[in-house]
Structures are given as C-alpha cells and as structure tokens.
Amino acid sequence: MQKVTLPERPNWRETAEEVGFTFADMHGEPYWDESSAYQFSLAEVENDIEDPSTELHAMCREAVEHILSSDALIARMGIPEAYHDLVADSWRRNEPEIYGRFDLAYDGNGPAKLLEYNADTPTSLYESASFQWQWLEDQLAAGVLPGGADQFNGIHEALIERFRGLFDPNTDLHFTAIGGNTEDYATVEAMGWAAREAGMGAHYTDLEKIGVTKDGQFVDDQDRIIGTLFKLYPWEDLLREDYARHIAGSGALFLEPAWKALVSNKGLLPVLWQMFEGHPNLLPAFFADDVADALVAGQKPVPAVAASFDRAADAIRAGHVVKPLFSREGASISIVENGDVTETSPNNDYDDHPKIVQALATLPDFDGFHPIIGSWVVGGTCVGMGLREDRARITQDLSRFKPHFIID
C-alpha cells in the first residue's frame, strides 16, 4: 500500500457536475480528491481486505443471533423496548439485506482492524461504485496509469445481481431519503440505478412526503402503496418517531431490514470481541459502563468482562477510542491516550448516547493524512472498496475521498 501523486483529469469537475456528483467539493474544500491515489497489490486487497470483510460480515450475522437470545443485550444496544419484537421478527423472517460498509484501519502491514460497521445507511456509494471506476478508466485511457492497472470495484454489478436475486422482474421498489440532501440522494439514486438495471421499477419520494393510509399502509407522494422501501434513514432515529408504530402493520418490506439496527451500532464491537476475542481483524472493545471504574479510578471492571479486560488492559490504557452507540461522521468520538484526551470530534451531537470503548488502532500517515478503508459488502460478500483520508485521526463528513488502483 502506498500513496502516489498523479495528475488530475482535465475538466473532472465539469464531469462531476454533469453526472450529478455535485458534492465533489463541499464548503470550499475538496471532497473528491484525485491529486493522488492509493496503490495496492492484489494480495493486499484479496488477503487483507476482501476475504476478512466477508468473514467479518458472517461474524456480524452470528452476533445478531447472539444478541437476540438476550433481552438484556437487545436493550443494551439501545433498541426501544416497544420495538424489540419488530427487530427480532425481521431476523426470524430472514428479511434480506442489500449492502453495508466496514470501516477498516489498514497500512499494508498486518491484518486490517475493524473500526465500525456501517450496516444500515452507508453513504459514499456513488463515488465508490461509479465515479471512482470512471477515474480508473479515464486515467488508463490517458496513460496516467499503466496498462493492467485494476481496481477492487464490483459494487454496482453486485447490487444489480442482488436486486435481481431478491425480486421478480418489474417489481416496484420505493427509495427514500430526507429531501434536499444531495449526498444522501446520490446514494439512493445509485441504489435505484442498480435496481432499474436489474429490471425493477424504482420510484423515489422524499421521506417527509411518505404518508399512511387509513388501513395502515405506507404511500408515496403520488398515493402509490409502498410494498418495498429502501430508506436511507437510520433505524435508531426511525424507531424513536411516531411513524414507527405503523411499521409492523404496514405490510412493507424495509431495506435495510430492522435487524440491521443491531449491527449498525457501536455496541456490536464489544459483542464481537466477547464472541471472537483475539480475532486478527478485531480490536478489544467493551461497553463503557462495564470498564469505566477500571479505566478512570483504577478499580475493577464488572465481573462479566473482568478476565477479558485484564487481557486487554495494557492496550486499552495505552490508547482507546470512546464512541457513542449511535454516531455519524465521527460525531462525539474522542481518543484517550495514557489517561489524557488527545483528540475529540468538534461535533458533539451524540454525546447523550451510551458509549463503548475500543482499543486505539494506529492509522497510517501518508503526507500528513490518515486513510481508512471502506470495504463494501453486498449480500454476504465483499465486492469493492473506497478510501477516505483526513488530517485528523477521527474521520468526519469532510474527510476526502481518494481513488485507488491495483498493480502487481
């Protein structure tokens, strides 16, 4: 893995504007940045990113089964009690998942480490699946990249096959996000594009324009009944709104399904560590309430995790990250090293949520930027990746998206 300076494509901003990638620059800062790119070997991608991500996904599904076996653990994941059955039923009915994105720390040496799983509403889909691929083709054609350079990117094709495998031809699917958010709309449109190529009918409506009939069915802004709804809106917010009481009786299939609330949740990290302690792609992680006394006052953790904590205590005390159960774009995350807070997000929107602690992963430093890898899973298989980098160690909404290529 290395970072390589490359000439930018002439007029790439005009191209981005033409295809609707209107957030390539945000707030006067570049979001899409092709002044350099990350280079990988095929072995790095296949052995360190692709295969481990597919394995992590299978482990997450095992974690769902484990969480649902304990009412106390479901509650600990921040799921409102009124919707425990909704979440559990969606799993027992085997409601299908479409996609997710693991965020991994990786420097080309040693196993990638799981930072979190964006299992419910991952964004950056369009730039990962499409604009990044266009960059590869353009740079190959221009001779900037040598012939034979490739990219780990089968995301769009995998989405098409996923829709084709789940639904009959001409099935009407609905897609929704909060109106007026261009980044969210790009992700939803990328998903709708794949559905249309799979032979589905894809209808978009703003989330706030969805209504409920007297019979309890959801309808779009043209009063069409919604049978299947892809929603780019997190379950943790949805389950706290009045509309949530209509979900169970609506007859609508939700994508992603309600059980994804259990894995798009930082509480997944300590659950995975308790189930698979020592796995090479996991970092030690604990619910903060279980180990707070041990970390702050030098006392004992709760008995249930005492032995596990003792084995990880040196690593956790040397450096750990405090994360809320629910958080977006790095909000309310802080880094603690040797007892001192050394870095914290300027966004504290999620400060009131319960927290977990996770051992600090050392991020690589390329020219003062710290990249993280987003590995995309469609169905149950890792099918591509994208990278974002930031000068801070906490990746945020304005972190830059960097293209990648593979050369052996």
Side-chain angles (χ1 to χ4, degrees), residues 223-303:
D223 292 331
R224 293 175 295 201
I225 299 294
I226 296 175
T228 300
L229 180 65
F230 174 87
K231 46 101 203 125
L232 196 71
Y233 191 70
W235 276 106
E236 67 261 25
D237 292 340
L238 187 56
L239 294 180
R240 286 166 174 77
E241 296 182 1
D242 185 55
Y243 263 65
R245 63 189 171 88
H246 299 290
I247 294 173
S250 70
L253 175 68
F254 277 69
L255 304 172
E256 297 296 309
W259 61 262
K260 277 291 191 81
L262 301 175
V263 286
S264 61
N265 182 318
K266 308 300 189 297
L268 169 72
L269 300 170
V271 171
L272 285 175
W273 186 250
Q274 289 302 308
M275 294 177 67
F276 304 101
E277 183 180 333
H279 189 283
N281 298 115
L282 297 179
L283 293 161
F286 301 89
F287 287 101
D289 288 346
D290 286 349
V291 299
D293 288 346
L295 286 173
V296 176
Q299 299 178 15
K300 297 287 186 184
V302 300

Side-chain angles (χ1 to χ4, degrees), residues 73-321:
L73 197 47
I74 299 173
R76 201 160 201 196
M77 304 298 280
I79 307 300
E81 184 174 0
Y83 298 110
H84 286 190
D85 286 345
L86 177 76
V87 171
D89 288 347
S90 77
W91 174 255
R92 291 173 185 138
R93 286 195 295 266
N94 197 28
E95 290 184 354
E97 58 183 315
I98 300 293
Y99 78 145
R101 190 194 74 223
F102 289 108
D103 284 349
L104 306 171
Y106 181 66
D107 63 2
N109 299 296
K113 298 293 186 182
L114 174 63
L115 301 176
E116 64 180 56
Y117 184 23
N118 300 281
D120 184 19
T121 58
T123 55
S124 78
L125 178 64
Y126 171 74
E127 50 270 41
S128 296
S130 180
F131 205 71
Q132 179 179 221
W133 184 257
Q134 186 63 55
W135 168 86
L136 178 79
E137 291 190 328
D138 290 347
Q139 297 294 49
L140 282 168
V144 171
L145 294 176
D150 203 353
Q151 190 175 91
F152 180 36
N153 192 350
I155 302 168
H156 180 66
E157 293 76 12
L159 287 171
I160 294 171
E161 289 307 311
R162 184 64 177 158
F163 280 115
R164 192 172 282 150
L166 290 175
F167 301 102
D168 292 332
N170 300 316
T171 299
D172 282 326
L173 309 179
H174 279 80
F175 296 81
T176 191
I178 293 177
N181 186 316
T182 55
E183 185 179 2
D184 285 0
Y185 181 75
T187 291
V188 172
E189 178 52 28
M191 195 66 78
W193 174 25
R196 285 190 291 274
E197 292 208 357
M200 309 296 133
H203 309 289
Y204 176 81
T205 189
D206 289 341
L207 181 70
E208 52 271 33
K209 294 179 181 176
I210 291 176
V212 182
T213 70
K214 63 180 181 181
D215 296 325
Q217 292 179 294
F218 290 117
V219 291
D220 68 9
D221 55 357
Q222 298 179 46
D223 292 331
R224 293 175 295 201
I225 299 294
I226 296 175
T228 300
L229 180 65
F230 174 87
K231 46 101 203 125
L232 196 71
Y233 191 70
W235 276 106
E236 67 261 25
D237 292 340
L238 187 56
L239 294 180
R240 286 166 174 77
E241 296 182 1
D242 185 55
Y243 263 65
R245 63 189 171 88
H246 299 290
I247 294 173
S250 70
L253 175 68
F254 277 69
L255 304 172
E256 297 296 309
W259 61 262
K260 277 291 191 81
L262 301 175
V263 286
S264 61
N265 182 318
K266 308 300 189 297
L268 169 72
L269 300 170
V271 171
L272 285 175
W273 186 250
Q274 289 302 308
M275 294 177 67
F276 304 101
E277 183 180 333
H279 189 283
N281 298 115
L282 297 179
L283 293 161
F286 301 89
F287 287 101
D289 288 346
D290 286 349
V291 299
D293 288 346
L295 286 173
V296 176
Q299 299 178 15
K300 297 287 186 184
V302 300
V305 300
S308 178
F309 181 80
D310 284 347
R311 290 188 287 272
D314 289 346
I316 291 282
R317 289 194 174 103
H320 62 266
V321 184

Side-chain angles (χ1 to χ4, degrees), residues 29-102:
E29 295 287 333
Y31 167 62
W32 171 270
D33 180 1
E34 61 178 62
S35 62
S36 56
Y38 284 92
Q39 177 182 332
F40 295 84
S41 69
L42 185 60
E44 287 174 332
V45 170
E46 289 183 343
N47 299 335
D48 296 344
I49 306 299
E50 182 179 3
D51 291 347
S53 295
T54 297
E55 182 179 351
L56 283 169
H57 176 267
M59 292 159 59
C60 289
R61 289 186 63 93
E62 287 187 54
V64 172
E65 191 71 41
H66 176 68
I67 294 166
L68 290 175
S69 70
S70 164
D71 290 340
L73 197 47
I74 299 173
R76 201 160 201 196
M77 304 298 280
I79 307 300
E81 184 174 0
Y83 298 110
H84 286 190
D85 286 345
L86 177 76
V87 171
D89 288 347
S90 77
W91 174 255
R92 291 173 185 138
R93 286 195 295 266
N94 197 28
E95 290 184 354
E97 58 183 315
I98 300 293
Y99 78 145
R101 190 194 74 223
F102 289 108

